[in-house]
Each structure stands twice: as C-alpha cells, then as structure tokens.
Amino acid sequence: MKAQAPTAYGLSSEARNLHWLLTDLVDEVPGIRSVAVVSSDGLLLLSSDPEAAAAASPAGQRPGAPAGPRGSSADLATIVSGLGSLTTGAAKLMDGGAVKQTMVAMDEGSLFVMAVSDGSLLGVHAAPDCDMNVIAYHMALFVGRAGHVLTPELRSELRKSMENAQ
C-alpha cells in the first residue's frame, strides 16, 4: 500500500517529510488497511491509497475484504473527523480533559484515532488480527514526529495538494 501522494514536486520539505512518514507508517506496520490525517475542520490532509491495498492484498486481509471504508480516503476522513468530534464532546461532558486516542474494535477490523496537533487527527483502519499495541505505538511515533511541524501554513499546503490530486 502506498501513500496517496500528490506529486512531491513543488511541495515544501516539511510536506514531503510528512508524506514520507505516512508512507513509512503504512509500509512498515502489518495490518494497516488505510490511513488518513484530518484537519480540525474535517478536511483530508494526507492519506494512504486503499485501492492499492486491495490490489496488493496485504497479509491479514481476507480476499474480497474491503481495503478501507468503502475504499475511499474521503470516507475514512469523514469517519475519523466524526469520531474525533464525538469523543471530544464526551470528554468535555465528563470533564475528562483532552482525548488522546480512541480505538474501536469491530468484527472485521479496528479503527484508531489519535490527536496530532491543533485538533488535527490521525486515523488508522486496520485488519481484525492486527497487533493493536504495535499500531498504537507507531501512531504515537508518527504523532511525535509530525505534530510539531503541522503548522497552519503546512495544513493549507497539504489541503491544496490533496485538492489538486483529486
């Protein structure tokens, strides 16, 4: 599975670095089906390419199983944004502070959502037999490396590159 990267030419070094981090996350962690980085306003900033995952049929994915939510990065971004909003609202009602991570275990997969910075979220859809600890660990590494560089300027650049890729 390769990251859905608009052409890296013309992007800043920070944007290219984030694309590289996402590609590394997807390529190195077994069981990941699709990944999306979403801005605080729900817009897709970075994503993996679920169609490539379906064609490659990674280990742990049964034949014919969907690679991502309906095979669309936009669908995963919508789900991640909605789940992030729901859990943030719940945390406020319960005086729980900031939400750091949310995990949903389903019969046919798992969904992880982790705060990145300024309300941005990292969402991972994984195979049902994934090692949840390994995925959470690598997501935390991504957040640690990406969080400090995900400035408003970079988010704007990434949004524009995603719009141009579609």
Side-chain angles (χ1 to χ4, degrees):
M1 175 177 359
K2 296 291 179 203
Q4 177 181 339
T7 179
Y9 302 109
L11 292 179
S12 67
S13 61
E14 292 87 2
R16 289 191 310 271
N17 188 39
L18 283 178
H19 281 285
W20 178 83
L21 286 173
L22 181 78
T23 301
D24 190 53
L25 174 67
V26 170
D27 290 346
E28 298 300 320
V29 182
I32 289 182
R33 290 180 172 170
S34 57
V35 179
V37 176
V38 181
S39 67
S40 60
D41 52 359
L43 296 176
L44 183 62
L45 299 177
L46 288 170
S47 72
S48 62
D49 182 4
E51 288 76 19
S57 189
Q61 181 175 334
R62 40 186 185 84
R70 301 193 190 250
S72 168
S73 298
D75 287 346
L76 180 59
T78 301
I79 293 165
V80 167
S81 180
L83 189 57
S85 179
L86 179 66
T87 55
T88 297
K92 285 180 184 176
L93 286 172
M94 295 182 215
D95 294 325
V99 176
K100 296 177 183 178
Q101 181 177 0
T102 304
M103 199 279 293
V104 178
M106 303 169 281
D107 287 341
E108 297 301 324
S110 297
L111 175 65
F112 302 83
V113 178
M114 190 175 285
V116 179
S117 67
D118 295 337
S120 297
L121 301 167
L122 170 64
V124 171
H125 178 223
D129 60 347
C130 71
D131 185 331
M132 294 179 192
N133 291 325
V134 169
I135 290 184
Y137 173 76
H138 283 278
M139 288 177 70
L141 288 178
F142 180 93
V143 167
R145 293 173 180 152
H148 68 282
V149 297
L150 203 52
T151 62
E153 295 79 16
L154 184 56
R155 286 193 301 271
S156 177
E157 179 183 359
L158 291 169
R159 273 188 215 134
K160 288 177 185 172
S161 71
M162 288 301 291
E163 288 170 4
N164 291 338
Q166 295 172 355

